[in-house]
């Protein structure tokens, strides 16, 4: 995954602190840790531990070690702390040669004009080596130098930004000295935003973060850029950074009448007409989802609204913006199929004219491609896509007893399912009481014995050998519906009923219990399985717990789960269902999903959060639900960007400063611990964790699930 070097440093270093049992649970501190014991009480407080994470990273980057006094100064805000943005640049060196006009500069150093997009690409840089300009990380940009702006003949230089990442380096090569009438800026391409002419892709120009220039000088640069790069016409806007905001506001009347728009940084994230959710390419028949009852694995679906669930398909286009952490997008990621939000897609002739036809569909960072495809292309694509051999997920039936989570380990996923094992493992990280659910795991052995007791394996075997079941989607859906009904009505052997009774009776009679699916073919590093199976709440008036357990068992055989396993040739008979059981949570004020990396906008050093109010799940949102999107700086939880506000929240923010601070801490610890568990020999720089969380009415954070982010 791109843009990960800061996160990698952070994760590697924080692992020194958050070991498997976590430093929170340790009774003593090492000699090195004593530097951070600022109150000298023999233990590290929460704030001291968080400070240690930050300081160790600085020490590693600079190959130094701070003394206890220096650390105390940092805690008090007087020490040597990293700067995220802004600041003055160092003076350029004396030029190495004579002053060159723009037309005299060699292409390896820069250019006087950019005639087309290809030339821009040749001059541009996109990556993480952006020095102090952290706002440019991951974006495609060409730096610019404007000379003699105080004369009648200003000069514009496009820097070859692959060669010169800094203006000082370019100035030395071009023989330019510092003086009056200079402006140093950058031209940025933003493919996700909609240009003034209605097309995808906006270019913005901006200057050093602490620079501020009056409107007439901004207009002068705008006109120069359009003159020297004609493709910018009706695609270029000005982006004032923090140093220019006050002057912009005082001159807003001029900008309101200008022929070019003004984009603020937050607008450039929120004003998106095209959002690539999963970069991939595929073939299939383009179908409008509302016109077909059930899509197949060979359909590329066009959705006017965001569906709450999705079987395996060949590609997805939604006409309303998706949440990147919805089950729909997680399915697209795990199935490696293209998925994009395209505003009013069904109204675009280039798309609408292809409905009902076989198409080639590609989603990239810069845009999408869709064209008519031949039957031969489609058949070749699908013949190469599916695995050649049957895949049998790990299933350990030797564990025959229900266990409390405290007695389940990370390595027990083959007996209880990954979800159960991961929640049990979360409980070992030393988080505050009630942060992680406490409950029980019902092993695969129970499911296996239940299926045998009722003869359901024989029923399934007959279905799989029925040609009508294999050839007809309607028959398959009907037979699977009937199978699930039979499973829900099935009988459990007495010993199983007794074991579940003991579990149920360990809670007060009025306790609703959440029964959550936990299989051996979901939440895996290479297969998410998000949204395939169902969980249920067992209410006190529903009688024996077996009712809800059987509902969870039946969900192993719903249509979307069956189709996903069938496509990937996952053995239906060795697939198994465990159940994670804990008290149901009520009175939640919000719920959300977060990933320990910015998996959407690919910015550097940020966590990505989706949150929505109440019980409107981010993973399965209502059709009109737009969750809050936040990019949160891993270093400083007070440094965040609200990419999009919730459309259901009364106030402008759902996650408070306290929430963000706590979630930053939890997410870092979860990432480091699971990275070591999943990659025991070394830290995996491409690794990320996804968590689901709830914010209760009193502000308490509950982390209900953690699984590897599927790349």
């Amino acid at each position: 995954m791109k843009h990960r070097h800061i996160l990698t440093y952070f994760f590697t270093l924080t692992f020194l602190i958050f070991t498997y049992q976590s430093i929170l649970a340790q009774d003593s501190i090492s000699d090195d840790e004593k530097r951070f014991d600022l109150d000298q009480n023999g233990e590290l407080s929460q704030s001291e531990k968080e400070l240690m994470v930050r300081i160790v990273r600085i020490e590693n980057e600079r190959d130094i070690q701070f003394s206890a006094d220096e650390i105390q100064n940092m805690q008090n805000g007087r020490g040597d702390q990293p700067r995220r943005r802004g600041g003055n640049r160092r003076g350029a060196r004396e030029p190495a040669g004579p002053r060159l006009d723009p037309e005299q500069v060699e292409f390896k150093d820069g250019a006087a004009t950019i005639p087309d997009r290809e030339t821009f690409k040749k001059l541009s840089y996109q990556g993480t080596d952006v020095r102090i300009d952290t706002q440019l990380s991951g974006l495609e940009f060409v730096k610019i130098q404007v000379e003699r702006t105080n004369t009648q003949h200003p000069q514009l230089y496009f820097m070859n930004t692959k060669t010169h990442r800094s203006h000082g380096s370019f100035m030395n090569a071009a023989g330019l000295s510092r003086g009056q009438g200079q402006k140093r800026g950058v031209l940025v391409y933003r493919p996700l935003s909609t240009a003034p002419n209605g097309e995808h892709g906006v270019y913005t120009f901006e200057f050093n973060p602490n620079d501020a220039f009056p409107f007439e000088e901004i207009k002068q640069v705008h006109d120069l850029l359009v003159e020297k790069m004609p493709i910018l016409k009706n695609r270029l806007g000005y982006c004032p950074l923090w140093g220019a905001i006050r002057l912009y506001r005082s001159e807003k009347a001029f900008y309101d009448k200008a022929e070019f728009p003004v984009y603020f940084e937050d607008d450039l994230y929120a004003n998106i007409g095209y959002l690539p959710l999963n970069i991939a390419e595929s073939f299939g028949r383009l179908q409008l989802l509302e016109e077909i009852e059930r899509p197949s694995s060979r359909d590329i679906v066009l959705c006017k609204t965001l569906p709450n669930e999705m079987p395996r398909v060949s590609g997805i286009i939604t006409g309303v913006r998706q949440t990147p952490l919805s089950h729909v997008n997680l399915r697209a990621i795990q199935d490696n199929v293209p998925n994009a939000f395209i505003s009013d897609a069904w109204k675009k002739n280039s798309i609408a004219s292809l409905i009902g036809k076989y198409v080639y569909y590609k989603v990239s960072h810069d845009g999408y491609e869709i064209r008519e495809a031949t039957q031969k292309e489609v058949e070749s694509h699908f013949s190469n896509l599916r695995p050649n051999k049957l895949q049998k997920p790990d299933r350990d039936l030797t564990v025959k007893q229900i266990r409390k989570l405290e007695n389940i380990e990370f390595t027990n996923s083959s007996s209880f399912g990954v979800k159960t094992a991961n929640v049990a493992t979360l409980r070992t990280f030393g988080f505050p009481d009630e942060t992680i659910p406490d409950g029980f795991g019902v092993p695969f052995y129970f499911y296996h014995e239940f299926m045998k007791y009722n003869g359901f394996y024989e029923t399934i075997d007959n279905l799989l050998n029925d040609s009508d079941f294999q050839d007809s989607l309607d028959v398959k859906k009907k037979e699977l519906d009937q199978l699930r009904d039979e499973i829900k009505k099935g009988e459990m052997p007495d010993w199983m009923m007794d074991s579940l009774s003991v579990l149920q009776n360990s809670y007060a009679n009025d306790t609703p219990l959440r029964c959550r699916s936990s299989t051996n073919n979901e939440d895996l590093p290479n297969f998410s399985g998000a949204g395939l199976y169902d969980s249920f709440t067992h209410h006190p008036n529903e009688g024996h717990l077996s009712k809800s357990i059987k509902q969870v068992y039946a969900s192993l055989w719903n249509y979307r789960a069956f189709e996903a396993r069938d496509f990937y040739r996952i053995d239906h008979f060795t697939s198994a269902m465990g159940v994670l059981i804990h008290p149901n949570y009520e009175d939640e004020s919000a719920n959300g999903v977060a990933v320990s990396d910015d998996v959407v906008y690919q910015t550097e050093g940020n966590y990505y959060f989706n949150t929505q109010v109440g019980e409107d799940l981010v993973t399965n949102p209502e059709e009109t639900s737009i969750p809050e999107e936040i990019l949160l700086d891993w270093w400083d939880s007070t440094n965040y960007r609200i990419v999009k506000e919730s459309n259901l929240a009364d106030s402008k923010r759902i996650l408070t400063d306290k929430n963000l601070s706590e979630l930053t801490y939890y997410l870092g610890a979860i990432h480091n611990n699971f990275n070591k568990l999943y990659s025991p020999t070394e830290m995996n720089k491409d690794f990320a964790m996804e968590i689901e969380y709830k914010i209760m009415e009193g502000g308490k954070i509950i982390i209900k699930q953690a699984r590897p982010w599927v790349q």
Side-chain angles (χ1 to χ4, degrees), residues 592-605:
V593 182
V595 183
S596 60
D597 188 15
D598 176 10
V599 295
V600 179
Y601 303 104
Q602 300 291 303
T603 58
E604 179 185 13

Side-chain angles (χ1 to χ4, degrees), residues 622-642:
E622 298 296 330
E623 290 183 356
T624 58
S625 174
I626 300 174
E628 174 183 85
E629 282 185 76
I630 288 182
L631 293 177
L632 176 65
D633 186 341
W634 67 260
W635 171 270
D636 178 8
S637 66
T638 66
N639 183 15
Y640 59 87
R641 170 180 281 125
I642 300 177

Side-chain angles (χ1 to χ4, degrees), residues 185-200:
V186 61
L187 180 63
V188 186
Y189 179 59
R190 304 175 186 270
L192 303 184
S193 297
T194 303
N197 63 4
E199 298 179 5
H200 295 303

Side-chain angles (χ1 to χ4, degrees), residues 31 101 156 280 381 394 477 485 582 602 645 665:
D31 290 340
D101 290 331
L156 172 64
H381 171 75
D394 291 339
K477 175 70 166 54
D485 287 341
H582 58 74
Q602 300 291 303
E645 296 175 355
Y665 180 65

Side-chain angles (χ1 to χ4, degrees), residues 10 14 17-18 21-26 29 33 36-39 41-55 71 75 429-433 435 634-635 637 658-670 673 700-701 703:
F10 170 62
T14 51
I17 304 162
F18 299 109
Q21 293 296 329
S22 176
I23 191 171
L24 293 174
Q26 293 179 3
I29 60 177
E33 292 166 355
F36 303 93
D37 183 16
L38 302 182
D39 55 12
N41 67 348
E43 60 183 18
L44 296 183
S45 67
Q46 183 69 29
S47 62
E48 289 168 340
K49 294 168 190 171
E50 293 176 359
L51 178 66
M52 181 163 62
V53 172
R54 293 165 170 82
I55 301 305
I71 293 170
Q75 177 77 326
F429 296 167
F431 294 151
D433 291 344
T435 302
W634 67 260
W635 171 270
S637 66
K658 184 174 184 293
N659 294 152
L660 293 175
S661 176
E662 292 177 355
L663 284 167
T664 302
Y665 180 65
Y666 294 150
L667 197 51
I670 289 169
N673 282 285
K700 175 71 177 177
I701 293 177
I703 299 174

Side-chain angles (χ1 to χ4, degrees), residues 510-528:
D510 60 349
T511 304
L513 297 177
R514 188 66 174 165
C515 301
R516 300 172 61 189
S517 60
S518 180
T519 74
N520 58 352
N521 54 94
E522 63 177 332
D523 294 347
L524 300 170
N526 60 350
F527 186 79
S528 169

Side-chain angles (χ1 to χ4, degrees), residues 29-193:
I29 60 177
S30 68
D31 290 340
D32 185 61
E33 292 166 355
K34 290 179 181 178
R35 294 182 296 140
F36 303 93
D37 183 16
L38 302 182
D39 55 12
Q40 297 184 346
N41 67 348
E43 60 183 18
L44 296 183
S45 67
Q46 183 69 29
S47 62
E48 289 168 340
K49 294 168 190 171
E50 293 176 359
L51 178 66
M52 181 163 62
V53 172
R54 293 165 170 82
I55 301 305
V56 170
R57 175 184 170 220
I58 301 174
E59 291 177 333
N60 186 71
E61 287 181 339
R62 302 180 185 179
D63 194 24
I64 58 176
Q65 187 174 71
F66 294 107
S67 67
D69 289 341
E70 290 171 322
I71 293 170
Q72 181 73 61
N73 287 337
M74 293 183 195
Q75 177 77 326
N76 295 333
R78 301 191 301 271
D80 186 6
Q81 301 182 42
R83 302 173 67 179
R84 296 289 294 179
R85 281 196 187 183
N88 295 320
R89 271 60 169 173
R90 299 187 179 189
R93 294 172 291 174
E94 287 299 316
R99 186 185 190 282
L100 303 177
D101 290 331
E103 294 76 14
Q104 297 174 304
V105 174
E106 295 184 27
F107 193 82
K108 68 179 180 63
D109 294 313
T113 60
I114 297 181
D116 49 37
R117 170 85 181 130
E118 288 305 311
T119 305
F120 182 86
K121 287 182 178 180
K122 292 176 182 178
L123 291 169
S124 67
Y125 172 78
Q126 185 173 20
T128 59
D129 182 15
V130 293
R131 314 293 169 83
I132 200 170
D133 301 309
T134 56
Q135 77 274 13
L136 299 177
S137 181
L139 297 173
E140 183 185 7
F141 63 91
V142 170
K143 288 198 170 182
I144 59 173
Q145 179 97 4
V146 190
E147 295 281 314
R148 299 175 177 175
T149 61
N150 55 349
T151 72
Q152 295 297 314
H153 302 287
Q155 294 178 311
L156 172 64
Y157 297 79
F158 293 102
M159 292 168 47
N160 189 322
T161 314
K162 289 184 172 70
T163 306
H164 303 287
R165 207 79 77 245
S166 69
H167 287 90
S169 172
F170 172 77
M171 291 171 66
N172 181 61
L176 304 177
S177 301
R178 286 187 179 271
Q180 297 296 317
Q182 286 182 335
K183 291 182 176 64
R184 289 172 289 280
V186 61
L187 180 63
V188 186
Y189 179 59
R190 304 175 186 270
L192 303 184
S193 297

Side-chain angles (χ1 to χ4, degrees), residues 414-437:
S414 60
S415 300
F416 290 89
V418 182
K419 185 182 297 178
T420 299
N422 282 4
V423 170
T425 303
L426 283 171
R427 294 184 54 79
T428 69
F429 296 167
F431 294 151
D433 291 344
E434 300 181 355
T435 302
I436 310 299

